[in-house]
């Protein structure tokens, strides 16, 4: 099973390439957030509805992204999973 998942670039948390790209873009281009959905969609050249209904629910459930009144924010868990230094630590 693990070999099959790795063929599709699915990592140990179940993230695919687009999931990781979404997280990395928020970290690199928006300092980890907060950032609005339409800005994320424009950055990734993806439909906002697709992000909100396909990618975001899993990322929220896994604790990698938080939704705040100001926008989406990347969690410390996401930084650690991606091997990126957590700001301020």
């Amino acid at each position: 099973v693990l070999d099959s998942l790795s063929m599709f670039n699915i990592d140990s948390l179940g993230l695919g390439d687009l999931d990781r790209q979404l997280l990395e873009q928020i970290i690199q281009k928006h300092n980890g957030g907060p950032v609005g959905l339409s800005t994320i969609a424009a950055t990734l050249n993806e439909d906002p509805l697709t992000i909100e209904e396909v990618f975001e629910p899993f990322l929220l459930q896994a604790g990698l992204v938080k939704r705040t009144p100001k926008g989406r924010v990347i969690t410390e868990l996401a930084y650690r999973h991606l091997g990126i230094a957590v700001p301020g630590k």
Side-chain angles (χ1 to χ4, degrees):
V1 172
L2 294 176
D3 289 338
S4 298
L5 290 173
S6 78
M7 285 175 43
F8 292 103
N9 292 326
I10 307 296
D11 66 21
S12 61
L13 284 183
L15 301 180
D17 289 335
L18 286 173
D19 298 309
R20 287 187 298 277
Q21 185 181 5
L22 187 148
L23 295 171
E24 289 168 354
Q25 289 297 316
I26 295 173
I27 291 169
Q28 293 169 359
K29 295 195 186 268
H30 307 288
N31 299 316
V35 61
L37 179 62
S38 60
T39 303
I40 295 168
T43 301
L44 296 172
N45 196 28
E46 196 60 65
D47 179 56
L49 194 58
T50 301
I51 291 172
E52 189 172 40
E53 293 184 357
V54 177
F55 297 104
E56 194 174 61
F58 179 74
L59 297 173
L60 288 165
Q61 194 173 25
L64 301 169
V65 172
K66 289 190 300 187
R67 237 190 244 171
T68 71
K70 292 183 179 183
R72 278 67 175 174
V73 177
I74 302 302
T75 67
E76 186 175 327
L77 176 62
Y79 279 94
R80 284 190 276 127
H81 180 71
L82 295 171
I84 300 172
V86 180
K89 290 206 173 201

